[in-house]
Amino acid sequence: MAEVKHGREYVYSIQYHIVWCVKYRHKVLLGDIDKKLKEILNQIATDNGFTISEIESDCDHVHLLIDCNPQHSIPNIIKALKGVSARLLFKEFPQLKKKLWGGNLWNPSYFVATVSEHTEAQIRQYIQNQKVR
């Protein structure tokens, strides 16, 4: 269960399930690219003061369970995760640009849902099972 944290004037437990897809649903999140993506996303989270407690991808999309504080906004979290990861992956794996014309790795849309203590276990299991099919 998510830890209840304390801020200066508030107590909180905020978790989100976030999903986004590769542009055109191209199946490029494989092998070294998939491994590097997870490293990059975890570093972005650390740099921006939130935590990724679960992460998994399945060839053409990414699922995250994040813990954050009330100062974090979803659009800023998404912008950081998608923008920085795309730039760094294109830099390290230039072959991605050939598959994804137009210079965009990610589809511009995303899914986000709040996670409660009642749904956290199911969402964790769902994310962990993304590659198990």
Side-chain angles (χ1 to χ4, degrees):
M1 188 161 99
E3 179 184 340
V4 174
K5 299 174 183 125
H6 299 268
R8 187 179 178 121
E9 299 173 353
Y10 48 85
V11 178
Y12 65 94
S13 175
I14 301 172
Q15 288 188 296
Y16 295 107
H17 178 200
I18 300 172
V19 183
W20 70 84
C21 299
V22 174
K23 187 88 170 183
Y24 314 116
R25 295 298 294 247
H26 283 301
K27 297 183 182 323
V28 297
L29 304 179
L30 304 165
D32 290 342
I33 294 171
D34 182 49
K35 182 179 177 189
K36 187 64 176 181
L37 170 63
K38 291 171 184 168
E39 290 172 14
I40 290 168
L41 293 176
N42 278 303
Q43 187 60 54
I44 294 165
T46 300
D47 293 347
N48 287 277
F50 60 91
T51 305
I52 297 174
S53 53
E54 290 292 339
I55 183 172
E56 194 52 86
S57 62
D58 187 19
C59 304
D60 64 359
H61 66 281
V62 180
H63 284 263
L64 304 173
L65 178 62
I66 67 160
D67 292 277
C68 60
N69 68 41
Q71 282 72 40
H72 287 107
S73 72
I74 289 297
N76 288 343
I77 288 171
I78 299 293
K79 182 179 178 183
L81 289 168
K82 290 170 75 174
V84 174
S85 66
R87 182 172 45 81
L88 294 176
L89 285 173
F90 278 143
K91 184 177 178 184
E92 185 154 342
F93 302 98
Q95 68 270 26
L96 282 173
K97 285 212 182 228
K98 292 182 177 109
K99 290 186 180 184
L100 296 156
W101 58 92
N104 295 311
L105 176 60
W106 305 120
N107 185 303
S109 63
Y110 59 90
F111 165 84
V112 62
T114 55
V115 178
S116 74
E117 63 273 9
H118 304 292
T119 59
E120 181 184 354
Q122 293 124 319
I123 292 176
R124 280 183 184 278
Q125 186 172 16
Y126 178 76
I127 292 171
Q128 292 166 358
N129 290 332
Q130 282 304 296
K131 273 201 165 72
V132 184
R133 284 191 236 158

